[in-house]
Amino acid sequence: MPKYILPLLGYDYDGLEPYFDAETMEIHHKKHHEAYVKGLNTLSSSVPESISLHELLSGLLKNDAIDENDKSILLKFGGGHYNHSLFWQFLSPKSSKEQISKILMERIEKDFGSFTTFVDSFNKAAVSVFGSGWAWWVYDRSSKSTKIMISKDQMNPIMEDSNLVCLLGLDVWEHAYYLKYRNQRASYIEAFWSVVNWEVVSRIYEERILNLLPLEVTNDGYIVFD
Ligand code: MN
């Protein structure tokens, strides 16, 4: 079976202050993400070493070839490792809307009408998650357009539909915001827009999506770029 490792963040724990606080970032990364990595490393030896996490998660819900216990591990911990590995890279201390590439902004305007409407739709979805889960902005390879989705627990949209590619995601589990924002999830969601790494999002769109490449994450938690 493959061996999974907790990635390093590309910034300090206090790098996203005052939007995301250092204590939450440290616990979220060192304790929560580490627990998903640990759980994922209990996959059975029937999982081949060479298979990528993305391949394991794509269409997972309909994959009957995989052992039920491994499927349960992948749903919880595989999703946890993939989602968090993406999430850390969706964030940046040097966030700026200016980093949104021209072609990505055209995509947003085509699919949502305006950037403001896009943000409003994402925020509504993120607020609407009942209990623990994620809000996602995904590209659908079948309709060749983007949309907002939510997922429960550590599920990722690709588990249901392998035509989907994550462009951006926000963790709305309470562990992601409760120390600083308490029950005010909407304030945490608002703060998120001040730390989005638009360089990475633009790169996923232009390099992975437009070139029909999968959004792979290495076993040690880094997005695969050329
Ligand atoms: Mn989390």
Side-chain angles (χ1 to χ4, degrees):
M1 62 243 152
K3 167 88 177 131
Y4 301 94
I5 296 171
L6 184 71
L8 298 172
L9 302 187
Y11 38 82
D12 294 330
Y13 288 126
D14 64 0
L16 307 177
E17 293 267 12
Y19 306 104
F20 288 8
D21 65 287
E23 189 183 10
T24 299
M25 287 299 294
E26 182 166 0
I27 296 171
H28 198 175
H29 175 248
K30 266 201 225 160
K31 304 292 181 190
H32 292 278
H33 189 171
E34 175 63 28
Y36 301 126
V37 170
K38 202 173 163 199
L40 185 54
N41 280 319
T42 63
L43 281 174
S44 77
S45 55
S46 66
V47 177
E49 180 92 37
S50 58
I51 196 164
S52 74
L53 184 56
H54 179 269
E55 287 172 287
L56 285 168
L57 301 184
S58 285
L60 177 66
L61 297 181
K62 290 171 216 149
N63 185 350
D64 296 327
I66 198 150
D67 164 282
E68 277 306 314
N69 188 54
D70 284 334
K71 192 183 258 190
S72 164
I73 290 169
L74 287 166
L75 281 172
K76 292 185 275 189
F77 307 125
H81 187 38
Y82 186 79
N83 293 346
H84 287 83
S85 296
L86 291 177
F87 185 51
W88 308 132
Q89 291 172 82
F90 287 150
L91 305 174
S92 167
K94 295 186 200 114
S95 171
S96 161
K97 229 185 102 184
E98 304 301 308
Q99 298 161 338
I100 304 176
S101 70
K102 190 167 169 284
I103 193 165
L104 183 64
M105 189 55 93
E106 284 167 6
R107 182 80 263 155
I108 292 169
E109 286 166 355
K110 193 153 195 275
D111 295 342
F112 298 92
S114 70
F115 184 76
T116 309
T117 312
F118 158 69
V119 169
D120 287 347
S121 314
F122 188 96
N123 290 354
K124 274 201 193 95
V127 166
S128 80
V129 174
F130 185 73
S132 298
W134 292 73
W136 300 99
W137 180 32
V138 299
Y139 181 82
D140 186 340
R141 294 198 196 271
S142 52
S143 66
K144 298 187 169 55
S145 63
T146 67
K147 60 184 175 182
I148 308 293
M149 295 181 74
I150 58 174
S151 67
K152 270 179 70 65
D153 303 322
Q154 292 301 348
M155 305 265 289
N156 185 287
I158 62 171
M159 292 174 179
E160 290 176 53
D161 184 350
S162 51
N163 282 314
L164 302 175
V165 190
C166 298
L167 266 168
L168 186 62
L170 177 61
D171 188 342
V172 293
W173 283 55
E174 283 185 347
H175 69 222
Y177 63 89
Y178 209 83
L179 290 178
K180 180 177 173 74
Y181 292 100
R182 301 297 167 183
N183 60 324
Q184 306 295 315
R185 188 196 285 174
S187 304
Y188 160 71
I189 296 166
E190 194 55 45
F192 168 62
W193 297 106
S194 297
V195 291
V196 173
N197 190 338
W198 289 111
E199 264 177 22
V200 160
V201 179
S202 300
R203 195 167 175 197
I204 291 171
Y205 184 62
E206 293 189 26
E207 186 190 302
R208 312 311 295 175
I209 290 173
L210 296 184
N211 292 326
L212 305 178
L213 296 167
L215 183 61
E216 298 266 11
V217 163
T218 59
N219 292 348
D220 54 355
Y222 300 100
I223 297 174
V224 175
F225 285 123
D226 287 340

